[in-house]
Amino acid sequence: MTPLETKIRALFDAYGKRTDNALRDPPEEDLEGMVRSFAPFFVESSPRGVVGSVNDDKFRAMIPQGFARYRTVGGRHMTIKGLQVIELDRLHAIADVDWDFAYTNKAGKSGHVTFTNFYFITIADGTPRIFAYVTPDEQQAMEEHGLL
């Protein structure tokens, strides 16, 4: 394993644990750790479009709201089931991350939504940070599983 891959795997080990802990009852949110996972500016691409965001107080306030939404629809766990690191050069890589979202819907039925996100990582300042990510249609997946 290269030094770059080692750093990226450590980033996602921590990121995955923080994400899963935020869905616990009661939630254990590591807001500062989540904020540090992202670059000062980052981009999201999904079926809804492309959005750029600044890692600022507004972003910091949105993180707990996102986790609260997952808990409200029945989210119980979100765990990383697979991680592949694709190195682009000595400072950049793509992390191909397979997620498993475990839920109990309003009818009491348990299930899983599995999906893959692609994260673009930089270590230009010495610390791995997410500067972009590509995600599938989360809204549609939740509707298909009766969560919305």
Side-chain angles (χ1 to χ4, degrees):
M1 198 175 324
T2 68
L4 177 61
E5 182 174 353
T6 299
K7 287 182 179 185
I8 292 170
R9 286 187 177 280
L11 168 71
F12 280 96
D13 283 347
Y15 187 80
K17 286 177 188 165
R18 285 185 195 108
T19 300
D20 191 48
N21 287 344
L23 297 184
R24 291 182 184 207
D25 185 19
E28 297 174 20
E29 294 180 357
D30 178 1
L31 182 59
E32 292 308 311
M34 293 303 284
V35 168
R36 284 191 312 269
S37 299
F38 288 83
F41 185 85
F42 57 95
V43 176
E44 170 193 350
S45 180
S46 73
R48 295 185 337 212
V50 177
V51 179
S53 298
V54 177
N55 188 340
D56 61 5
D57 289 339
K58 183 178 176 185
F59 174 62
R60 180 177 265 104
M62 289 176 60
I63 292 171
Q65 293 172 12
F67 288 128
R69 179 174 182 256
Y70 287 135
R71 290 190 305 272
T72 298
V73 300
R76 299 293 175 251
H77 291 284
M78 180 134 26
T79 54
I80 293 175
K81 294 299 183 181
L83 170 63
Q84 179 183 359
V85 176
I86 304 158
E87 294 187 29
L88 302 175
D89 63 21
R90 66 183 186 81
L91 298 176
H92 301 94
I94 299 169
D96 176 339
V97 181
D98 296 322
W99 289 95
D100 181 83
F101 177 68
Y103 65 84
T104 302
N105 66 19
K106 289 176 179 32
K109 181 181 176 193
S110 296
H112 296 265
V113 179
T114 58
F115 59 96
T116 300
N117 284 354
F118 297 95
Y119 298 88
F120 293 77
I121 311 300
T122 179
I123 62 161
D125 70 356
T127 302
R129 299 192 196 283
I130 300 164
F131 70 90
Y133 59 95
V134 178
T135 186
D137 193 337
E138 184 177 285
Q139 182 86 11
Q140 178 184 352
M142 287 189 178
E143 288 173 5
E144 290 172 359
H145 286 263
L147 302 176
L148 297 177

